[in-house]
Amino acid sequence: MQGFALYPFDPPGDSSALRTDLRRWLADHQPRGDIVRRANCWASFDADFSRALGAAGYIGMTLPARYGGGDRHPLERYVAIEELLAAGAPVGAHWIADRQTGPLILRYGTEEQRQRYLPGIARGETYACIGLSEPGAGSDLAAVRTSARETAEGWRVNGQKIWTTGAHLSHIMLALIRTEEGSERNAGLSQLLIDLDTPGITIRPIIDMAGNHDFNEVFFDDVLVPHGALVGERGQGWKQVTAELGLERSGPERYLSSHALLVALIDAAGPDPAPALATLIGELTAEMWTLRQLSMSTAAKLAAGEDPMVEASVVKELGNGFEQDMPRRVQAVADCGWDDTDDLARLLRALLIASPSFSLRGGTREVIRGIIARGLGLR
Amino acid sequence: MSAAREMLCDTARAVFAEAAEAGMAPVEAAGFDLLLVPEADGGFGGDWGDANAVLRIAGVAVPDLPVAERILSGLGDAPKTLHAAATVGLMAGAMGQALALSIEHVNTRQQFGRPLGKFQAVQQSLAVLACEVAAVDAAAAAMAARLDAAGLDAEAADFEIAAAKLRANRAVGIVTAVAHQVHGAIGFTREYDLHRVTIPLMRWRGLHGNDAYWAERLGRQVAGFGGRGLWETLTARAE
């Protein structure tokens, strides 16, 4: 049985100084804007903010300096990400590139790919999306059918991705594609890094139930991409994607996405809250504090070069549950009308509507629990 | 875990195995009241991390003996909050045992021609149980780190103790329910060991502050921090 291994979170250097510097920077640079954008802020797209954040050295922090990165320790990046999310900063534009595409290119990419893409990512100017799901491959990711055939000129890509967050705003897609004809399931898959302005790519919006355009369908119609688009080893795409998901599932975004609501609840409750409100604030705080410990421990295990597959899934499972429960529990206690215009009511309504997606994106609750069960030795 | 703590745990396991038959006498003879007493005062000089490790073992081996009280007696008149903190250690141990027993049972017991653990419904339930156990482990460890940073000053660790005891309390309902459900009737018998951890868990949830007590106390403290102040306080306390 593989349980949850606790690792001490011990970033090098002075993390309280890092926090203080970033808080000061945010006080000067964070757009005032709409309070609702502070919730779920890793979906809030703001190119100017991303560029400024990159210039200040808070994007690509762990990348080597020769690629424009900050040469910082992964746990220093973790501290910075916590601060950005807790403040509700609009980090959506560069989020995926900074969190997973950059590190993946560094780990598996060629020297040419690194030089071509990493500096732009670190500047907060190159945005990425992840091409995994397809119409026939949702939770069953190994069913992907989008194909690439190697020709003299390069790879010929045909097929379709769906639920691709931010494809319409991104410059590149890291796609999981079947490169070996006739291969089945998780064999014969590779990762290709595709420039989204390549002819033959069509991106169509899918509007979500909140009225937002985050998702897209992406069609590949005989798209020619260069040989150099292959990332890592041909046929090892499944393994590379699985490792990447560890980066995706355990970060502070799994419990801080809705932090703006907790802040608004505490402020609305005032210094002497009614017992029911005090109780709710206490319960939510205990849960959030515990999730932070789990997430920090998982980050420390990742930073130690180990694969926290089970730990990352535990963080996602508990974090999703916390973030879905929070708006429901706040609604049950706080005196908020559906159409009220104060901060708490508007955040509450937005998160009630957004929250069903929390246990779908990045792996459904059922898939995540299955991974944990495998770790327990049940599958 | 450090070599010294490993040795301490080996001793605890041996002493508690004896105490399970003989009662408190072996625990008293082994000097667990000196665990948290500084070496300069003739004690073992252990920290809360050590106490937590010992209490986890006690929570499984001797849940009905007053081991936590014995350890805290070395500190003189320990405040209620430290008793709550000690209870979290017992609870973390017992929950880990409930998970271990459940995994063993579903991998062994066969129905419909295969082990229960091969059924998705059972797998999903046990994943939920495992998450609660991980959460309480992490909460207990973070609380211990704060207590040790504060030299066992319970007032300086009031936030962490409140959060950890509350989180552990809330886990009890899920852990006991899932563990019993996947065990079926055998888990409800006197003969089988599951009740040796689940009944104590039910008792500990209400001991030294139930959910409502700690939730309102923590909530009032946080209300005093203010919305943004919560994050600032929480990060500052851990650094």
Side-chain angles (χ1 to χ4, degrees):
Chain A
M1 161 187 155
Q2 189 194 343
F4 194 104
L6 285 174
Y7 277 64
F9 184 87
D10 194 13
D14 182 350
S15 27
S16 49
L18 174 59
R19 287 186 200 283
T20 309
D21 290 348
L22 183 45
R23 283 173 193 171
R24 203 171 290 141
W25 187 89
L26 279 169
D28 293 338
H29 293 86
Q30 186 171 353
R32 292 284 154 259
D34 183 355
I35 185 81
V36 169
R37 282 171 58 86
R38 295 198 176 205
N40 214 2
C41 67
W42 44 298
S44 287
F45 187 99
D46 185 331
D48 292 337
F49 179 81
S50 289
R51 199 173 299 112
L53 191 67
Y58 294 113
I59 302 179
M61 285 176 73
T62 61
L63 298 176
R66 65 181 182 282
Y67 303 123
D71 262 332
R72 307 291 286 265
H73 191 272
L75 298 185
E76 293 179 290
R77 175 180 180 271
Y78 185 98
V79 168
I81 295 298
E82 274 194 330
E83 289 300 321
L84 290 166
L85 294 172
V91 293
H94 64 270
W95 181 256
I96 289 170
D98 177 55
R99 178 178 71 181
Q100 58 201 96
T101 317
L104 194 124
I105 292 172
L106 180 68
R107 181 166 170 191
Y108 295 113
T110 61
E111 187 56 33
E112 190 198 331
Q113 287 166 339
R114 293 172 176 176
Q115 288 183 10
R116 177 155 178 211
Y117 294 108
L118 295 182
I121 288 175
R123 283 195 306 271
E125 292 176 355
T126 299
Y127 313 141
C129 61
I130 306 294
L132 294 178
S133 294
E134 296 183 7
S139 285
D140 184 11
L141 185 58
V144 298
R145 292 178 55 186
T146 297
S147 68
R149 298 287 162 259
E150 198 171 20
T151 67
E153 305 100 347
W155 298 95
R156 286 273 171 197
V157 182
N158 281 283
Q160 180 192 352
K161 295 291 177 183
I162 195 169
W163 316 124
T164 316
T165 299
H168 59 306
L169 301 167
S170 297
H171 306 95
I172 50 178
M173 173 193 280
L174 189 59
L176 183 66
I177 293 182
R178 197 162 292 284
T179 47
E180 314 310 313
E181 205 167 352
S183 64
E184 296 280 342
R185 305 297 298 162
N186 52 14
L189 299 170
S190 302
Q191 284 188 299
L192 295 185
L193 191 54
I194 300 174
D195 290 335
L196 287 172
D197 58 3
T198 312
I201 297 176
T202 308
I203 298 172
R204 288 194 197 140
I206 301 173
I207 306 302
D208 67 29
M209 68 184 250
N212 296 323
H213 174 198
D214 291 334
F215 289 148
N216 299 274
E217 291 180 286
V218 183
F219 298 90
F220 298 90
D221 182 13
D222 219 23
V223 176
L224 180 67
V225 302
H227 290 115
L230 177 71
V231 177
E233 210 176 320
R234 181 170 174 170
Q236 294 300 308
W238 182 262
K239 204 179 108 197
Q240 292 172 206
V241 161
T242 315
E244 185 184 351
L245 290 174
L247 301 173
E248 181 178 335
R249 285 178 176 153
S250 61
E253 66 271 24
R254 295 300 170 191
Y255 68 95
L256 282 176
S257 291
S258 312
H259 191 65
L261 179 62
L262 184 54
V263 171
L265 176 70
I266 294 166
D267 286 339
D272 185 23
L277 267 179
T279 300
L280 177 62
I281 290 168
E283 287 172 356
L284 294 174
T285 300
E287 193 66 43
M288 191 269 267
W289 173 81
T290 304
L291 273 160
R292 181 165 183 253
Q293 313 307 327
L294 290 164
S295 175
M296 290 193 300
S297 170
T298 306
K301 186 171 182 184
L302 254 178
E306 294 184 53
D307 177 14
M309 181 82 164
V310 171
E311 286 86 349
S313 299
V314 169
V315 172
K316 185 174 184 312
E317 161 73 6
L318 286 172
N320 290 164
F322 166 67
E323 293 211 313
Q324 281 180 335
D325 263 4
M326 174 148 64
R328 296 170 190 156
R329 289 160 70 183
V330 170
Q331 187 179 36
V333 174
D335 185 19
C336 284
W338 186 255
D339 294 316
D340 286 357
T341 53
D342 60 287
D343 285 358
L344 181 61
R346 296 181 63 239
L347 278 167
L348 177 57
R349 188 176 60 224
L351 283 168
L352 280 168
I353 294 171
S355 60
S357 71
F358 295 172
S359 54
L360 304 174
R361 61 186 181 189
T364 64
R365 167 169 296 134
E366 290 73 16
V367 165
I368 295 296
R369 287 181 181 173
I371 293 169
I372 296 167
R374 182 176 292 135
L376 295 174
L378 303 183
R379 293 175 61 197
Chain B
M1 198 182 281
S2 69
R5 192 173 291 170
E6 295 270 13
M7 276 179 59
L8 173 67
C9 288
D10 287 343
T11 305
R13 269 184 283 270
V15 171
F16 295 156
E18 211 182 315
E21 306 293 328
M24 277 303 279
V27 179
E28 286 162 14
F32 277 100
D33 53 330
L34 298 175
L35 177 62
L36 292 172
V37 176
E39 281 179 282
D41 301 332
F44 177 82
D47 60 12
W48 197 268
D50 294 323
N52 190 54
V54 168
L55 288 163
R56 294 176 59 103
I57 298 167
V60 178
V62 284
D64 300 324
L65 295 182
V67 174
E69 290 77 358
R70 186 72 192 167
I71 291 173
L72 290 177
S73 71
L75 299 178
D77 194 12
K80 176 180 172 172
T81 43
L82 271 191
H83 284 274
T87 310
V88 173
L90 297 169
M91 294 167 87
M95 288 186 199
Q97 177 72 353
L99 175 62
L101 288 172
S102 298
I103 291 169
E104 193 188 332
H105 178 73
V106 303
N107 279 336
T108 315
R109 170 73 172 162
Q110 302 225 356
Q111 287 286 273
F112 306 102
R114 46 188 174 146
L116 293 179
K118 296 294 171 198
F119 292 91
Q120 277 194 338
V122 174
Q123 292 171 359
Q124 301 262 310
S125 290
L126 277 192
V128 171
L129 170 49
C131 285
E132 293 301 301
V133 172
V136 176
D137 276 345
M143 176 190 72
R146 174 68 182 179
L147 270 167
D148 287 330
L152 301 191
D153 177 355
E155 253 180 71
D158 54 353
F159 177 95
E160 289 77 8
I161 294 171
K165 181 62 163 69
L166 176 55
R167 187 63 186 81
N169 281 356
R170 289 175 63 84
V172 167
I174 298 171
V175 168
T176 55
V178 174
H180 276 290
Q181 191 62 34
V182 301
H183 270 88
I186 191 71
F188 193 63
T189 62
R190 177 113 183 141
E191 173 195 356
Y192 187 85
D193 273 348
L194 185 59
H195 69 82
R196 288 177 43 79
V197 287
T198 54
I199 294 175
L201 281 170
M202 296 169 195
R203 173 159 55 84
W204 291 327
R205 184 176 189 169
L207 188 66
H208 304 305
N210 65 6
D211 305 28
Y213 172 83
W214 286 112
E216 191 172 346
R217 182 166 156 158
L218 183 61
R220 292 203 174 281
Q221 189 181 7
V222 170
F225 300 155
R228 181 66 199 168
L230 167 61
W231 180 252
E232 285 165 5
T233 306
L234 190 135
T235 49
R237 291 176 76 97
E239 270 156 16

